[in-house]
Amino acid sequence: MELDELRTDCARRQKKGVHFILASILVWGLVLAIDLTGLSTELKNLLTFCCSAVLFPAAWGVANRLGIDFAGKGNPLSKLGLLFSLNQLLYILIVMWVYSAVPEKMVMVYAMVFGAHLMPFSWLYRSRSYLVLSIAVPIASLVVGILLPPYALCIMMVVTEAAFSLCLLKECKTLPKE
């Protein structure tokens, strides 16, 4: 297969990664629930980090439910998609620094990192939604995170991820059939 065929195959089999975006709605919903508690900012932030542990199991469950090839078996670009995901782990180091240096802005930086890490997927899946969201989420997170309390940012992320999921599902309908 040529590169373009591999990209199309990856997008088709993995439904443009919609299972991860749907799972992220759960993660941001949990972060919202934590933020609405009366816990200290430090404990809220620690629990927010813990919420990210839910992403992979939830994405796997969603993939199974929707018949999505979670691992993209047989397509070498799936390994590239994994690498695109893993680069976020390096950016989490920035979020960890914010956790101790400016704890009241940690959720904002976490949202910015989440959004920015989506950009390479715009190439892999040939997705305008990924490209637009990879730019819009960090900018919107910065603005909302500076002007409003963290729970407002969490609400924005839940709504954004839900809309993003719908956009990806719509994009998937335009993919050529096997």
Side-chain angles (χ1 to χ4, degrees):
M1 264 193 232
E2 291 191 27
L3 182 59
D4 285 343
E5 292 171 314
L6 288 169
R7 288 169 65 195
T8 299
D9 179 66
C10 198
R12 186 183 318 112
R13 286 162 157 230
Q14 295 183 316
K15 291 198 167 96
K16 296 194 176 197
V18 72
H19 49 298
F20 277 99
I21 305 307
L22 287 167
S24 72
I25 297 169
L26 171 64
V27 171
W28 282 105
L30 292 171
V31 174
L32 172 61
I34 289 166
D35 199 69
L36 293 174
T37 68
L39 300 171
S40 69
T41 299
E42 185 177 272
L43 185 53
K44 286 179 186 180
N45 288 346
L46 179 62
L47 293 173
T48 294
F49 274 123
C50 294
C51 287
S52 59
V54 172
L55 183 64
F56 271 88
W60 182 81
V62 170
N64 281 339
R65 190 98 161 105
L66 297 179
I68 298 171
D69 182 358
F70 183 82
K73 298 175 191 105
N75 188 322
L77 291 184
S78 296
K79 292 178 184 173
L80 184 60
L82 179 62
L83 183 63
F84 290 165
S85 295
L86 292 176
N87 76 2
Q88 187 176 14
L89 294 176
L90 296 173
Y91 304 142
I92 291 298
L93 296 172
I94 298 166
V95 180
M96 289 178 174
W97 176 80
V98 173
Y99 174 85
S100 64
V102 193
E104 63 279 1
K105 296 301 178 191
M106 192 204 86
V107 172
M108 176 186 78
V109 174
Y110 186 64
M112 292 170 72
V113 164
F114 174 82
H117 104 282
L118 299 172
M119 189 172 277
F121 293 100
S122 70
W123 177 86
L124 180 63
Y125 297 135
R126 289 192 204 140
S127 170
R128 183 171 300 284
S129 298
Y130 273 102
L131 180 61
V132 169
L133 272 289
S134 72
I135 297 166
V137 167
I139 293 169
S141 296
L142 178 66
V143 172
V144 171
I146 288 172
L147 298 176
L148 299 172
Y151 74 85
L153 177 60
C154 295
I155 292 170
M156 180 199 85
M157 289 302 294
V158 168
V159 170
T160 300
E161 294 307 291
F164 186 17
S165 298
L166 293 174
C167 289
L168 289 177
L169 290 169
K170 185 177 178 184
E171 282 185 9
C172 286
K173 288 181 180 181
T174 66
L175 288 169
K177 303 292 181 210
E178 282 188 76

